[in-house]
């Protein structure tokens, strides 16, 4: 049996198709070898080695310079840009956003990470509190999770009904269509990691006093509900990826590759002035996929 964490949540998970149980003691100093060895390649990740830090740091700097040019262009032209980060718990959304914003002026590049809705917000139109956070002219807003909570965690954890989640999925494209027609540039990134990699990252967070704050009971529930989240996310991708607001999926088992390619995708997606295509480089299509390509490949393996 999986040992319970101090908050009473089992740190365990079901294996593929529920045929076996992968369980571990999150308080143990090391992960079980069976999990650790599978983590990097889990979920169908196409690489078997981590990207080298020296290469990552060398490639990151010119990309961050391009981000400064993008922000300057947005300010000069009154552009409004929204970048949505969704994904599994532990997929690296916050770390990726941090590399996007590291050198950007916080007056014009803002991160939105909303907590659970208040009683007042629960009584409002579902999109209302997100609409209030949309950028003004010359601003970029990064959503660290977004209105798609209703398609993911709320659906899986029972914080909304199935009917409410399905209604949301019908309305989300219309909401985003209004934004697009009003001139908002919307980029949606979905970060996904394999089952064992999620275990590895949650375990690492537990043992890092500087990161343990990121963990919540909901994060532990992501482990036994991995397959439920897979089904919810696939439903989300197939119903809410549109011509005006398509989803881009990033296989995120390697944080360095994830950050570099997420930035590259955004830089290629926005037509800012004086873009240096050579400095940006090519997006790695082995880990960056359209929603359609990801779903046609079977999604999570």
């Amino acid at each position: 049996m999986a040992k319970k964490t101090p908050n009473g949540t089992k740190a365990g998970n079901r294996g593929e198709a529920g045929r076996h149980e992968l369980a571990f003691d999150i308080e143990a100093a090391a992960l079980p070898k069976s999990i650790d060895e599978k983590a990097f390649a889990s979920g169908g990740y196409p690489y078997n080695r981590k990207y080298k830090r020296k290469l990552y740091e060398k490639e990151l700097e010119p990309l961050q310079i391009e981000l400064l040019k993008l922000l300057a262009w947005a300010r000069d032209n009154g552009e409004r840009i929204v970048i949505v980060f969704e994904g599994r718990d532990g997929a690296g959304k916050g770390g990726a956003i941090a590399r996007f914003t590291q050198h950007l002026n916080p007056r014009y590049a803002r991160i939105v990470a909303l907590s659970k809705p208040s009683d007042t917000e629960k009584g409002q139109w579902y999109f209302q509190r997100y609409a209030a956070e949309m950028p003004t002219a010359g601003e970029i807003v990064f959503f660290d999770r977004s209105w798609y909570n209703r398609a993911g965690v709320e659906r899986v954890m029972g914080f909304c009904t199935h009917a409410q989640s399905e209604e949301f999925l019908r309305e989300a494209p219309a909401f985003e269509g209004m934004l697009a027609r009003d001139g908002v540039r919307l980029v949606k990134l979905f970060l996904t990691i394999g089952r064992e990699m999620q275990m590895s990252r949650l375990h690492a967070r537990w043992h890092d006093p500087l990161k343990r704050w990121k963990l919540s009971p909901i994060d532990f529930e992501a482990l036994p509900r991995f397959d439920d989240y897979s089904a919810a996310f696939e439903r989300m991708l197939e119903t809410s990826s549109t011509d005006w607001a398509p989803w881009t999926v990033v296989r995120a088992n390697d944080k360095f590759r994830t950050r570099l390619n997420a930035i590259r995708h955004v830089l290629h997606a926005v037509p800012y002035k004086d873009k240096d295509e050579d400095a940006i480089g090519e997006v790695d299509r082995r880990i960056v996929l359209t929603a359609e390509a990801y779903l046609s490949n079977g999604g999570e393996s």
Side-chain angles (χ1 to χ4, degrees), residues 93-122:
K93 299 177 292 296
I97 292 171
R99 274 64 187 185
F100 269 88
T101 60
Q102 187 174 6
H103 300 291
L104 299 182
N105 188 334
R107 292 186 180 90
Y108 305 101
R110 177 165 53 90
I111 300 171
V112 174
L114 299 182
S115 59
K116 65 180 183 180
S118 66
D119 289 340
T120 298
E121 289 169 332
K122 289 178 181 177

Side-chain angles (χ1 to χ4, degrees), residues 192-205:
T192 186
I193 53 176
R195 189 187 306 269
E196 288 83 1
M197 180 55 75
Q198 185 177 62
M199 293 179 180
S200 176
R201 290 192 180 168
L202 296 184
H203 178 268
R205 284 183 181 180

Side-chain angles (χ1 to χ4, degrees), residues 39 42-45 87-93 190-202 205 226 230 249-255 258 294 300-301:
S42 61
Y45 198 68
R88 291 190 182 274
D89 294 319
K93 299 177 292 296
F190 177 76
L191 276 54
T192 186
I193 53 176
R195 189 187 306 269
E196 288 83 1
M197 180 55 75
Q198 185 177 62
M199 293 179 180
S200 176
R201 290 192 180 168
L202 296 184
R205 284 183 181 180
F226 190 93
S230 292
V249 179
V250 183
R251 294 191 182 275
N253 282 14
D254 186 337
K255 292 181 180 180
T258 298
Y294 176 74
E300 296 298 333
S301 60

Side-chain angles (χ1 to χ4, degrees), residues 79 82 85 94 114 137 145 151 154 196 216 234 261 265:
E79 291 283 342
V82 171
F85 283 81
L114 299 182
R145 296 197 183 277
E154 291 187 24
E196 288 83 1
S216 71
E234 289 175 16
N261 284 282
H265 172 75

Side-chain angles (χ1 to χ4, degrees), residues 81-85 185-189 245-246 248 265-266 269-270:
I81 302 173
V82 171
I83 304 175
V84 170
F85 283 81
R185 296 183 184 272
L186 183 59
V187 181
K188 300 189 302 191
L189 295 170
T248 295
H265 172 75
V266 170
V270 181

Side-chain angles (χ1 to χ4, degrees), residues 49-181:
R49 292 183 181 180
K50 294 180 180 180
Y51 206 62
K52 293 182 178 179
R53 179 175 288 274
K54 286 186 177 180
L55 284 175
Y56 162 72
E57 293 175 347
K58 180 181 178 181
E59 294 176 25
L60 180 61
E61 182 176 353
L63 294 176
Q64 291 180 326
I65 291 172
E66 290 297 306
L67 285 170
L68 287 167
K69 290 159 63 174
L70 186 157
L71 181 58
W73 171 80
R75 288 176 56 194
D76 292 344
N77 293 275
E79 291 283 342
R80 292 169 292 162
I81 302 173
V82 171
I83 304 175
V84 170
F85 283 81
E86 286 289 345
R88 291 190 182 274
D89 294 319
K93 299 177 292 296
I97 292 171
R99 274 64 187 185
F100 269 88
T101 60
Q102 187 174 6
H103 300 291
L104 299 182
N105 188 334
R107 292 186 180 90
Y108 305 101
R110 177 165 53 90
I111 300 171
V112 174
L114 299 182
S115 59
K116 65 180 183 180
S118 66
D119 289 340
T120 298
E121 289 169 332
K122 289 178 181 177
Q124 296 172 341
W125 176 47
Y126 179 77
F127 294 96
Q128 188 165 336
R129 68 185 189 132
Y130 298 103
E133 298 290 346
M134 290 299 147
T136 190
E139 189 179 34
I140 302 175
V141 172
F142 298 83
F143 277 90
D144 187 349
R145 296 197 183 277
S146 67
W147 46 98
Y148 283 99
N149 279 332
R150 178 137 291 185
V153 63
E154 291 187 24
R155 184 184 184 109
V156 173
M157 296 300 298
F159 299 150
C160 70
T161 66
H162 180 80
Q164 286 174 323
S165 183
E166 286 296 305
E167 178 65 17
F168 163 81
L169 290 171
R170 286 190 291 272
E171 295 296 335
F175 172 65
E176 293 164 4
M178 288 188 289
L179 296 176
R181 288 190 295 274

